[in-house]
Amino acid sequence: MLFIPLPFAVAILLLVLFVAVLRRDEEAAPNRPFLALILLAALQSVLSGLRWGYGVHTVGMVAPVIAALVPPLAYAGVSRLVRTSRRPLPVRIVLHAVPAVVILLLTAFWRDAIDIALVLVFVGYAVAILLLMRPGADALRLAPFEGAVPAYRAIIFTAAALCLSAAIDTFVFLDLTSAHSVRALMLISVGNLAVLVILGIAAAAASRSRAPAEMVEVAPRPETSEDKETIATVDALMEAKKHYRDANLNLDRLARKTGIPARQISAAINRAMDKNVSQYVNDYRIAEACRLLAGTEKPVTEVMFEVGFQTKSNFNREFRRVTDMTPVAWRQRKG
């Protein structure tokens, strides 16, 4: 019977995940940092198997440098969904390469400091990602509204995985410096593999981002005239142009169509309706879906595409959020 060590099995699963994401995104511009993150996680898993499973200690010279590339790639992938950096691409590459260069220098001149440096890199980038996500799902200005909420959750998991990796490295460092160090090997083998799997799945999920009126509860409009005008402008655009049907609509594109800053749109909808812009746009989509399901014989899948959704999972989730029932149950009830 063929036996595949756990790290290599994890690497194979991550490669399968990479191919699946690549095929899924082949018609759109892929989030290359997230794709690279999945590949890097697979490589790390292979190196872990070689080092701790087969005693190939020479990989220990390379593994820390590769590990230092993980947080910058995660941050770069998130940035692709949040905003377009004003810095030129070469400058961004150089800045994010600094952690790997530092670890490489420590590998050559001060190996005892590598673990501490990696912990600082992982925690620092995790904090930076969380700061980008402070506005919630509305922070993902360049992500399509359909997948903004799942992408936001995946990004939070990514930041948590970076913190978990830092915690594991800290524990291993303390355990190895003690006289026992009996738990270090198991923790390295199991803990780091778990982190790699979480990072791979989170990166794959994040890379996706790209109601009848009586069913949608709307909170009272804000008292400020600016918020009223902002929401009235966006409402008029949605009702007249039906831009919510655009599956690639995102906050940045909506801001350009209305001529209103993205942050102003987000703040107005948050204050007035106690929801993010993604939910606001999806409310329009679900409202039209309900009308089509009740008034036409179109298949549910055709209705889903017509109102701007691209995946059944997102369509069903948002439909349940707004109506508390599935599209099929809605049609049967209204039929």
Side-chain angles (χ1 to χ4, degrees):
M1 179 177 178
L2 178 63
F3 171 73
I4 301 177
L6 180 60
F8 299 120
V10 169
I12 292 172
L13 291 175
L14 289 170
L15 288 175
V16 171
L17 180 64
F18 171 82
V19 172
V21 174
L22 193 62
R23 288 181 176 176
R24 183 193 67 202
D25 297 340
E26 61 184 0
E27 296 181 358
N31 192 315
R32 291 187 177 87
F34 280 142
L35 288 175
L37 180 59
I38 298 173
L39 281 180
L40 204 65
L43 177 58
Q44 273 194 290
S45 187
V46 170
L47 294 178
S48 177
L50 291 175
R51 183 178 182 182
W52 303 106
Y54 293 96
V56 183
H57 295 291
T58 53
V59 302
M61 302 291 292
V62 181
V65 178
I66 293 177
L69 294 172
V70 169
L73 280 176
Y75 182 86
V78 174
S79 295
R80 287 284 301 271
L81 301 176
V82 174
R83 64 173 181 267
T84 302
S85 176
R86 296 179 181 179
R87 296 190 181 97
L89 180 60
V91 175
R92 281 179 280 153
I93 292 175
V94 170
L95 289 176
H96 289 307
V98 169
V101 173
V102 171
I103 297 300
L104 182 61
L105 293 174
L106 290 177
T107 301
F109 302 106
W110 192 13
R111 293 189 60 83
D112 291 341
I114 290 177
D115 290 329
I116 296 176
L118 282 175
V119 167
L120 293 176
V121 169
F122 273 68
V123 171
Y125 271 97
V127 171
I129 290 173
L130 292 175
L131 288 176
L132 287 180
M133 292 294 101
R134 280 182 300 175
D138 286 348
L140 304 177
R141 290 175 49 181
L142 305 182
F145 284 126
E146 178 189 2
V149 173
Y152 170 75
R153 292 170 181 165
I155 289 169
I156 297 301
F157 272 111
T158 299
L162 294 178
C163 291
L164 177 60
S165 180
I168 291 173
D169 287 344
T170 301
F171 183 86
V172 169
F173 173 76
L174 295 175
D175 196 48
L176 290 175
T177 55
S178 70
H180 307 290
S181 68
V182 294
R183 297 176 295 271
L185 180 57
M186 179 179 295
L187 192 60
I188 291 172
S189 301
V190 178
N192 282 337
L193 288 178
V195 169
L196 293 176
V197 171
I198 294 172
L199 280 174
I201 295 175
S207 70
R208 288 180 180 272
S209 1
R210 354 192 257 130
E214 70 272 16
M215 296 302 297
V216 182
E217 296 183 3
V218 179
R221 290 290 194 264
E223 295 299 326
T224 63
S225 59
E226 183 182 64
D227 284 352
K228 289 182 179 180
E229 292 174 1
T230 297
I231 293 176
T233 300
V234 179
D235 280 342
L237 185 71
M238 289 294 177
E239 292 168 4
K241 302 293 185 179
K242 300 188 184 300
H243 285 303
Y244 56 84
R245 292 179 177 175
D246 179 4
N248 294 315
L249 185 66
N250 55 41
L251 182 54
D252 198 57
R253 184 175 296 185
L254 181 61
R256 290 199 301 271
K257 291 180 181 297
T258 58
I260 301 174
R263 182 172 296 183
Q264 182 177 327
I265 295 175
S266 175
I269 291 175
N270 290 166
R271 285 192 291 262
M273 301 178 176
D274 193 27
K275 63 182 66 173
N276 57 48
V277 186
S278 173
Q279 292 171 325
Y280 165 82
V281 172
N282 284 336
D283 283 349
Y284 271 100
R285 290 169 171 169
I286 297 303
E288 181 169 0
C290 288
R291 290 193 293 270
L292 292 174
L293 289 170
T296 71
E297 298 298 324
K298 293 181 178 181
V300 173
T301 302
E302 183 180 342
V303 170
M304 176 190 79
F305 286 122
E306 186 170 334
V307 301
F309 286 98
Q310 292 296 297
T311 63
K312 288 184 179 180
S313 59
N314 287 334
F315 179 55
N316 289 334
R317 184 190 68 250
E318 289 299 296
F319 205 98
R320 280 183 176 276
R321 177 182 65 82
V322 176
T323 67
D324 286 328
M325 61 181 67
T326 66
V328 173
W330 170 270
R331 168 166 276 173
Q332 291 173 345
R333 177 180 175 182
K334 295 296 181 178

